[in-house]
Amino acid sequence: MCGRFSITLPNDAMAQLFAAQPGNDLPDVPNFNVCPTTQVHVVTSQDGVRRLGAMRWGFIPSWYKKPNDGPLLINARSETIAEKPAFRHACRERRCVMIASGFYEWTKDSEGTRYPWYITRQDGAPLIFAAIWQHWDAGDDALRTCACVTTGANAAMSAIHHRMPVILEPDQVGLWLGEQGKGAAPLMRAASEKTLQWHRVDRAVNSNRASGAELITPMIEPRE
């Protein structure tokens, strides 16, 4: 986790929510099936000024000669982020947040069939994922890329998956972005068990080509 999510909040609402200056390259919304390697909404902060922009979801280390030169790094584990060569400098110097309305996770039955779940905040607020970013440049190609920070799931979430994104509360964003000095490490933990809720959705979302609001519609379980 995290491997797929949705974003339905309008761009101007996102900019207002984070008191950020919006870029002119923001991805289209709504998008009910945001997939790795696509552009996602990211908030960064420099010299106290926040910016809402677009980045490729899939962190590219500086030593890659091309985007697919190694594994696709969409997530960074909180437990090792400070030591991993790909992430350690970004963890100290280039933190950002990714914005989502909800994210997907899958369970499997005894036959290996994958069943998707859609996960949102119980209070209906947008999800704020702790993330890191990297400017990757190789000649004519230049990309701003990011990865979501993940941690071990809390007890409730572990019924679906053993990992989950690091989810920030609004009053924690400034600390994560470095606006309040150092000391963001304690934020890299699982959210409270009362933070999230989830429901089953149709298996159509198993395809990264699927789209439409029906992807997040609760699936009615058949009665026995």
Side-chain angles (χ1 to χ4, degrees), residues 17-97:
L17 178 65
F18 292 93
Q21 298 178 0
N24 56 12
D25 60 345
L26 297 175
D28 293 335
V29 288
N31 184 346
F32 297 93
N33 195 4
V34 180
C35 300
T37 74
T38 61
Q39 297 291 301
V40 297
H41 295 81
V42 170
V43 175
T44 58
S45 180
Q46 185 174 9
D47 298 326
V49 178
R50 293 183 181 180
R51 291 180 171 81
L52 173 66
M55 291 189 187
R56 175 193 187 265
W57 184 20
F59 189 97
I60 305 178
S62 58
W63 59 83
Y64 279 25
K65 295 186 179 351
K66 52 187 177 181
N68 60 353
D69 223 18
L72 179 60
L73 305 176
I74 61 172
N75 295 325
R77 295 174 68 95
S78 62
E79 299 89 341
T80 57
I81 192 172
E83 290 81 35
K84 288 284 187 181
F87 301 136
R88 60 191 179 196
H89 294 300
C91 181
R92 290 195 298 266
E93 303 169 8
R94 295 185 299 279
R95 295 194 297 269
C96 60
V97 298

Side-chain angles (χ1 to χ4, degrees), residues 29-188:
V29 288
N31 184 346
F32 297 93
N33 195 4
V34 180
C35 300
T37 74
T38 61
Q39 297 291 301
V40 297
H41 295 81
V42 170
V43 175
T44 58
S45 180
Q46 185 174 9
D47 298 326
V49 178
R50 293 183 181 180
R51 291 180 171 81
L52 173 66
M55 291 189 187
R56 175 193 187 265
W57 184 20
F59 189 97
I60 305 178
S62 58
W63 59 83
Y64 279 25
K65 295 186 179 351
K66 52 187 177 181
N68 60 353
D69 223 18
L72 179 60
L73 305 176
I74 61 172
N75 295 325
R77 295 174 68 95
S78 62
E79 299 89 341
T80 57
I81 192 172
E83 290 81 35
K84 288 284 187 181
F87 301 136
R88 60 191 179 196
H89 294 300
C91 181
R92 290 195 298 266
E93 303 169 8
R94 295 185 299 279
R95 295 194 297 269
C96 60
V97 298
M98 296 167 58
I99 311 164
S101 299
F103 65 95
Y104 299 96
E105 195 48 79
W106 283 260
T107 55
K108 290 183 180 180
D109 64 15
S110 59
E111 298 179 352
T113 303
R114 300 175 75 233
Y115 295 97
W117 299 78
Y118 184 62
I119 303 156
T120 60
R121 287 189 62 110
Q122 289 189 18
D123 59 11
L127 290 161
I128 306 170
F129 297 156
I132 56 175
W133 68 275
Q134 169 79 34
H135 180 82
W136 178 81
D137 194 344
D140 294 335
D141 295 321
L143 294 171
R144 282 159 55 90
T145 70
C146 63
C148 176
V149 181
T150 66
T151 190
N154 60 36
M157 183 68 194
S158 64
I160 295 180
H161 199 270
H162 67 286
R163 304 287 298 175
M164 64 186 296
V166 170
I167 298 169
L168 302 175
E169 296 298 325
D171 62 357
Q172 297 172 329
V173 171
L175 180 57
W176 180 256
L177 294 180
E179 297 170 346
Q180 300 166 13
K182 301 185 184 297
L187 300 179
M188 293 190 287

